[in-house]
Amino acid sequence: MPVPKRVFAFSFPALLGLLALLFTLASAPAAAATTLTVAQAISSQTGSSGTVAGYVVGEPTATSTVRFSDFTGDTALAIADSKSETSTTKMLYVQITASYRASFGLLSNPSLIGKQVTVTGTLTAYFSHAGLKSPTAMALGASPTTSPTATATVTPTASSGTDAYYAAASGKSGAALKAALHTIISTGVTKISYDAVWNALKVTDQDPANSANVILIYSGVSRAKTLNGGDSGDWNREHVWAKSHGDFGTATGPGTDLHHLRPEDVAVNALRNNKDFDTGGSAATGAPGNYTDADSWEPRNAVKGDVARMIFYMAVRYEGGDSWPDLEVNNSVSNGANPYIGKLSVLKQWSAQDPPDAFEKNRNQVIYATYQHNRNPFIDHPEWVSSIF
Ligand SMILES: [Ca+2]
Ligand SMILES: [Ca+2]
């Protein structure tokens, strides 16, 4: 007797169930394999979800400020690969949303310091710093599924990614390095008009936490992109290298070079005026953490290095070989209309104490990729500051 053929038929809902099961089986091991170290998370700020394991080292309160004791809140953690880490550049800033605050906030749980945590969330800037936001899981201890092959997922660091760009500077130092960098950053450059600067700044200086806003450099305020203009309460285009120092104005050239142009409140911009940079003075109205006196301006700590590296860029980019003045850095704070800005010794100190952060690196990359097609070498290689200046 012939065996009847058996027709193996799935109902449509059963097929969906099988697909869902297959998807779960396929995705669970993949998520476990991507547990990152803090260093890997810092170099993978892609905006996608990731799981990171590290030690709790403090409470971030600003881009380059972390409290190691006397905690003030439950909303953020700094984690690092070493429990004794003190450099903010080696920390990941983790946002703690409401449901995790009771268990992971440092004000409520100061004994978390030195403990290992594993966090899953969006790998993106927080406090204008490498971060993890909107956590979907937080747990004490190392992830049990940490994979030894996680290093295979690391994306290239900024410096290794720009080796080709700086090839002609390789092995050089001092004046030879400066000359090589001048050629590199002056070749193939796209110059933009002063009017085009408005829209460019809305991209280069966008608030990582609010895409409708820009961050104002000195005040640190997040303000609506639409408030660009010249009225009280607006932001305008601050020339960090004051345009009167060399009197280059706003014709397309150094006066429209995005590498030293930043959004700032109209009144704060006027208060900074064309002063050289130095420490000291009295608190600057409207810009907490900034100080000013008759002849100088001291920016807040979080942007001291940014300001220094912008000035160093300008000194290397403009060497007088075109129709523009040769801009240089000196130790004076009374440079007036001369094509110089001070104070060199202070700017070098600021560059050292405030190394490039995620916001500054991102802005350099956006200017390179989207607008001018040149880079600020001192953001990619801060060690070149002491070689040249
Ligand atoms: Ca900075
Ligand atoms: Ca120069």
Side-chain angles (χ1 to χ4, degrees):
M1 193 175 165
V3 178
K5 272 192 188 162
R6 193 137 180 187
V7 179
F8 206 91
F10 278 111
S11 70
F12 187 62
L15 259 178
L16 283 181
L18 182 64
L19 284 172
L21 177 67
L22 286 171
F23 183 76
T24 306
L25 288 172
S27 59
T34 57
T35 299
L36 304 170
T37 65
V38 168
Q40 289 165 350
I42 290 170
S43 58
S44 305
Q45 294 283 294
T46 56
S48 55
S49 180
T51 297
V52 188
Y55 293 98
V56 177
V57 293
E59 177 198 0
T61 57
T63 301
S64 52
T65 309
V66 168
R67 300 182 71 89
F68 300 112
S69 60
D70 302 317
F71 305 114
T72 61
D74 285 331
T75 57
L77 284 180
I79 65 173
D81 288 322
S82 161
K83 51 173 85 169
S84 59
E85 187 59 63
T86 57
S87 169
T88 57
T89 59
K90 294 179 179 173
M91 296 176 189
L92 187 75
Y93 290 2
V94 177
Q95 181 183 39
I96 313 177
T97 45
S99 56
Y100 296 103
R101 283 174 195 156
S103 300
F104 290 95
L106 279 170
L107 180 61
S108 301
N109 308 277
S111 65
L112 277 176
I113 291 293
K115 299 256 171 67
Q116 199 170 22
V117 292
T118 301
V119 189
T120 302
T122 306
L123 294 169
T124 190
Y126 186 38
F127 284 101
S128 303
H129 181 285
L132 182 150
K133 291 179 70 176
S134 307
T136 54
M138 294 187 76
L140 274 178
S143 164
T145 53
T146 298
S147 164
T149 60
T151 48
T153 67
V154 179
T155 53
T157 62
S159 58
S160 68
T162 59
D163 283 354
Y165 182 75
Y166 293 117
S170 178
K172 295 191 165 79
S173 64
L177 175 60
K178 187 187 185 196
L181 292 176
H182 168 74
T183 301
I184 291 168
I185 67 179
S186 306
T187 303
V189 174
T190 299
K191 299 170 185 175
I192 71 172
S193 72
Y194 198 46
D195 193 49
V197 166
W198 285 124
N199 281 335
L201 290 181
K202 293 175 185 177
V203 178
T204 57
D205 290 75
Q206 176 174 301
D207 181 350
N210 182 350
S211 62
N213 286 11
V214 289
I215 299 284
L216 309 187
I217 180 164
Y218 301 131
S219 60
V221 164
S222 176
R223 184 168 294 171
K225 290 177 177 177
T226 52
L227 286 175
N228 63 300
D231 296 331
S232 176
D234 287 347
W235 61 269
N236 61 5
R237 298 159 290 190
E238 154 71 350
H239 291 80
V240 174
W241 184 294
K243 59 186 186 293
S244 64
H245 291 232
D247 195 25
F248 49 72
T250 57
T252 300
T256 66
D257 191 324
L258 290 170
H259 280 295
H260 83 117
L261 291 169
R262 291 290 193 103
E264 186 47 76
D265 175 79
V266 166
V268 173
N269 192 338
L271 187 60
R272 187 266 159 138
N273 197 350
N274 63 350
K275 292 167 186 167
D276 293 273
F277 294 103
D278 194 4
T279 54
S282 51
T285 304
N290 295 248
Y291 298 87
T292 190
D293 58 19
D295 60 16
S296 72
W297 182 267
E298 177 182 350
R300 63 192 169 106
N301 288 340
V303 298
K304 280 184 163 71
D306 309 49
V307 165
R309 287 180 284 275
M310 286 187 268
I311 296 300
F312 294 139
Y313 162 87
M314 293 295 279
V316 172
R317 170 69 179 85
Y318 299 99
E319 294 285 61
D322 42 26
S323 59
W324 302 109
D326 178 2
L327 306 180
E328 281 305 322
V329 196
N330 65 13
N331 266 317
S332 170
V333 288
S334 55
N335 280 308
N338 293 318
Y340 310 130
I341 273 188
K343 190 174 184 180
L344 176 59
S345 58
V346 170
L347 291 164
K348 288 178 69 173
Q349 166 63 28
W350 290 351
S351 179
Q353 77 182 55
D354 173 36
D357 62 28
F359 185 90
E360 191 182 355
K361 288 178 184 173
N362 177 66
R363 144 176 243 290
N364 192 27
Q365 177 61 27
V366 171
I367 293 171
Y368 172 69
T370 307
Y371 296 102
Q372 297 183 181
H373 311 302
N374 70 342
R375 307 186 67 90
N376 180 333
F378 304 106
I379 296 172
D380 294 320
H381 289 273
E383 73 276 13
W384 284 343
V385 170
S386 58
S387 178
I388 294 175
F389 296 100

